[in-house]
Amino acid sequence: MIKFDLKNLGSQNLEGNIGAYIEAVKTRKQGFYKIVDDKKTAKAVLKFAKTARKKYKHFVLLGIGGSSLGPICLEQSFKHLFKEKKLIVLDNIDPVVLAETEEVIDYKTTLFLVVTKSGTTPETMSQYFYFRNKINKKKLDPKKHFVFITDPEKGLLRKIANEEKIPSFEIPENVGGRFSVLTPVGLLPAALLDIKIEKILSGAKKMRDQFLSKNTKTNLPFQLAKIQYDLAKKGKSINVMIPYAQKLSRMADWYRQLLAESIGKKFNLEQEIVNVGITPVNALGVTDQHSQLQLYNEGPNDKLFIFIEVEKLKPILKIPKAHKGNKDLDYLDKNITFNQLLQIEKDATASALTKNNRPNFTIKIDEINEENIGALFMLFEGATAFLGEMFNINTFDQPGVELSKKLTKEALLKL
Ligand code: PA5
């Protein structure tokens, strides 16, 4: 269950020509909101994962951006933070991290997930070359140690998968990288970690139905986009996402890419230069109360704060008495829980921002479960699609990223 608490926003107009926005999104021919109906892929992912969970000790995911941030978020949301990692996500080519990975894996019991929509991303492909070379040298069968997640037709990985019969899954042609978490990009790593992907999809599906409904009172993706757009127009063009749940810290990382790459654009749909964008910033309650909050309360008033609150954080842990007679810390001697303290600190932070005229609101979920995480993914994807229409830009391309990829390739070819 997801709901918005908008009391700190003041009078915010949540109405608008929602029907026109829904129709406009549909004309973009994007698949991100349709993939939740794809039961066949989910079934194939579950079947593959069931066998793989028994066969391998480590899963190493090679991928970057939209190909890694969803899996990282899912692992953080549902798996133990400190026990040995079964899923290692390599979204960087720093050689130190590659070397450290090799120190903990045994190639014989490792499955590499190579995730790249384009099949041309230099970071991911260089990692693949590295580990493929090792697998070849060790005379292990690549079919047993790699699974590719890539475009159904295009790119080198698809070609290798076809030629060498390496197991593979498809990222539908009409689903872009940062919108792909509900395809095998997020579903396969999640299923390998025994996370219930059917529930993620069913939660996302419920939110998708809201996203396509013309009722502004219940369409949360529309409401979110409208708040963001109206406030951006009033100079609040930085959005700070603050989950008050450490398990959701990587949701803010995933969202940062979605918002930045989708809405930061030079041209509008008429090809006029507009240079629009909303700058996403991540924070984590309570940690960043002691790093960023001073700026947020007293610095430039150019931000919208989006809190995420979990109503029933589990377990409930009491703060016990440990010393008698410490007057300075009497306020902790109230027989309260960490859960209450977290909530009180969140409310205090939101009140302080409100007192300083800093717009903020809260997305509330009842608990961290698969349905809610799936719904959050769809909430943010749907809102981003609406936001792009409001800004009149192409939400789904990323020419700024492509340019840097192109310049990297040119520099490499000159060597
Ligand atoms: O959203 C996007 O399309 C990008 O951010 C990609 O996810 C990122 O560049 C990685 O691309 P690929 O999946 O093709 O390797």
Side-chain angles (χ1 to χ4, degrees):
M1 185 274 308
I2 299 188
K3 57 188 182 198
F4 289 177
D5 177 352
L6 303 176
K7 66 175 179 298
N8 291 344
L9 269 183
S11 59
Q12 189 70 38
N13 177 11
L14 295 179
E15 297 304 317
N17 193 353
I18 188 169
Y21 287 117
I22 294 172
E23 287 316 307
V25 170
K26 283 185 183 166
T27 64
R28 309 291 165 224
K29 302 210 178 335
Q30 293 295 312
F32 73 89
Y33 59 92
K34 299 177 190 151
I35 46 181
V36 290
D37 299 317
D38 181 359
K39 293 210 172 82
K40 208 172 134 210
T41 299
K43 214 170 147 196
V45 163
L46 284 169
K47 191 172 168 217
F48 182 91
K50 194 174 172 196
T51 320
R53 278 200 304 269
K54 288 182 207 139
K55 267 183 33 197
Y56 303 98
K57 194 161 173 274
H58 283 112
F59 303 110
V60 178
L61 188 152
L62 316 178
I64 195 163
S67 294
S68 63
L69 290 163
I72 292 173
C73 166
L74 284 161
E75 188 195 25
Q76 171 93 356
S77 302
F78 296 112
K79 302 317 282 186
H80 199 288
L81 290 187
F82 307 114
K83 279 188 187 159
E84 193 206 357
K85 274 183 164 304
K86 206 166 162 59
L87 176 70
I88 297 171
V89 179
L90 297 180
D91 62 352
N92 202 300
I93 46 171
D94 184 334
V96 174
V97 182
L98 292 179
E100 285 186 1
T101 303
E102 286 198 275
E103 282 172 27
V104 295
I105 61 166
D106 174 356
Y107 278 90
K108 285 195 215 90
T109 53
T110 297
L111 177 69
F112 293 91
L113 289 75
V114 190
V115 190
T116 164
K117 169 91 193 274
S118 60
T120 58
T121 303
E123 293 88 346
T124 308
M125 292 312 283
S126 59
Q127 292 169 330
Y128 166 63
F129 289 171
Y130 182 81
F131 290 110
R132 175 69 197 250
N133 177 272
K134 293 282 169 116
I135 290 284
N136 290 350
K137 277 194 178 150
K138 290 175 188 293
K139 303 217 178 319
L140 293 167
D141 181 358
K143 288 197 284 300
K144 295 192 177 136
H145 292 276
F146 287 99
V147 52
F148 297 162
I149 304 176
T150 190
D151 189 89
E153 281 169 21
K154 289 189 218 127
L156 179 62
L157 273 192
R158 179 55 59 200
K159 193 167 170 280
I160 303 170
N162 292 341
E163 285 171 5
E164 299 189 27
K165 306 253 174 307
I166 292 190
S168 69
F169 289 91
E170 296 180 356
I171 307 171
E173 189 270 324
N174 62 358
V175 180
R178 57 190 174 276
F179 285 86
S180 68
V181 63
L182 298 169
T183 72
V185 170
L187 298 183
L188 182 60
L192 291 171
L193 293 174
D194 221 356
I195 296 167
K196 296 182 183 61
I197 63 168
E198 309 94 312
K199 292 205 166 158
I200 293 177
L201 288 171
S202 73
K205 201 171 167 168
K206 281 184 203 148
M207 184 58 74
R208 186 277 308 274
D209 295 343
Q210 286 189 33
F211 164 65
L212 293 178
S213 100
K214 290 187 185 149
N215 185 349
T216 50
K217 304 265 178 301
T218 54
N219 190 324
L220 295 186
F222 181 78
Q223 290 186 13
L224 173 56
K226 187 78 175 35
I227 294 166
Q228 291 174 294
Y229 180 74
D230 287 352
L231 284 165
K233 287 281 154 195
K234 290 181 192 157
K236 321 285 183 205
S237 61
I238 298 174
N239 283 185
V240 184
M241 179 171 278
I242 322 178
Y244 268 69
Q246 193 157 352
K247 289 282 193 176
L248 299 184
S249 63
R250 306 311 295 261
M251 176 65 81
D253 279 356
W254 171 83
Y255 181 59
R256 179 173 59 180
Q257 184 212 10
L258 182 70
L259 184 61
E261 279 191 6
S262 301
I263 306 301
K265 295 290 153 71
K266 180 172 178 179
F267 295 105
N268 67 12
L269 291 171
E270 283 75 46
Q271 294 308 306
E272 294 154 341
I273 295 181
V274 285
N275 295 117
V276 294
I278 291 183
T279 303
V281 174
N282 297 1
L284 173 65
V286 294
T287 310
D288 291 318
Q289 287 176 206
H290 300 270
S291 71
Q292 302 168 13
L293 197 55
Q294 169 62 32
L295 169 77
Y296 294 162
N297 269 318
E298 296 190 359
N301 194 350
D302 51 3
K303 301 172 193 69
L304 161 67
F305 297 88
I306 305 173
F307 290 101
I308 305 183
E309 183 183 308
V310 183
E311 289 175 321
K312 285 179 252 159
L313 260 189
K314 283 185 226 138
I316 294 173
L317 277 189
K318 266 196 171 177
I319 304 173
K321 281 186 192 170
H323 294 277
K324 275 190 189 151
N326 190 338
K327 288 262 178 287
D328 291 344
L329 291 176
D330 266 359
Y331 62 87
L332 278 183
D333 189 9
K334 297 277 178 203
N335 201 23
I336 59 161
T337 63
F338 282 100
N339 312 57
Q340 285 171 295
L341 182 59
L342 191 73
Q343 184 63 45
I344 288 166
E345 292 205 21
K346 186 253 152 182
D347 291 343
T349 303
S351 296
L353 289 169
T354 309
K355 278 194 174 48
N356 284 312
N357 288 319
R358 316 282 151 140
N360 65 87
F361 75 100
T362 301
I363 300 173
K364 290 190 182 190
I365 62 173
D366 50 350
E367 57 184 346
I368 298 176
N369 60 28
E370 284 87 348
E371 287 230 341
N372 282 337
I373 296 297
L376 282 177
F377 283 138
M378 189 57 75
L379 165 66
F380 294 129
E381 289 183 0
T384 305
F386 281 138
L387 203 47
E389 299 307 328
M390 292 173 188
F391 276 110
N392 189 36
I393 46 109
N394 183 342
T395 315
F396 303 99
D397 66 357
Q398 55 284 324
V401 183
E402 302 303 340
L403 178 62
S404 140
K405 278 191 187 178
K406 185 171 162 267
L407 295 177
T408 303
K409 258 184 222 160
E410 281 172 12
L412 286 168
L413 287 171
K414 280 191 201 140
L415 293 178

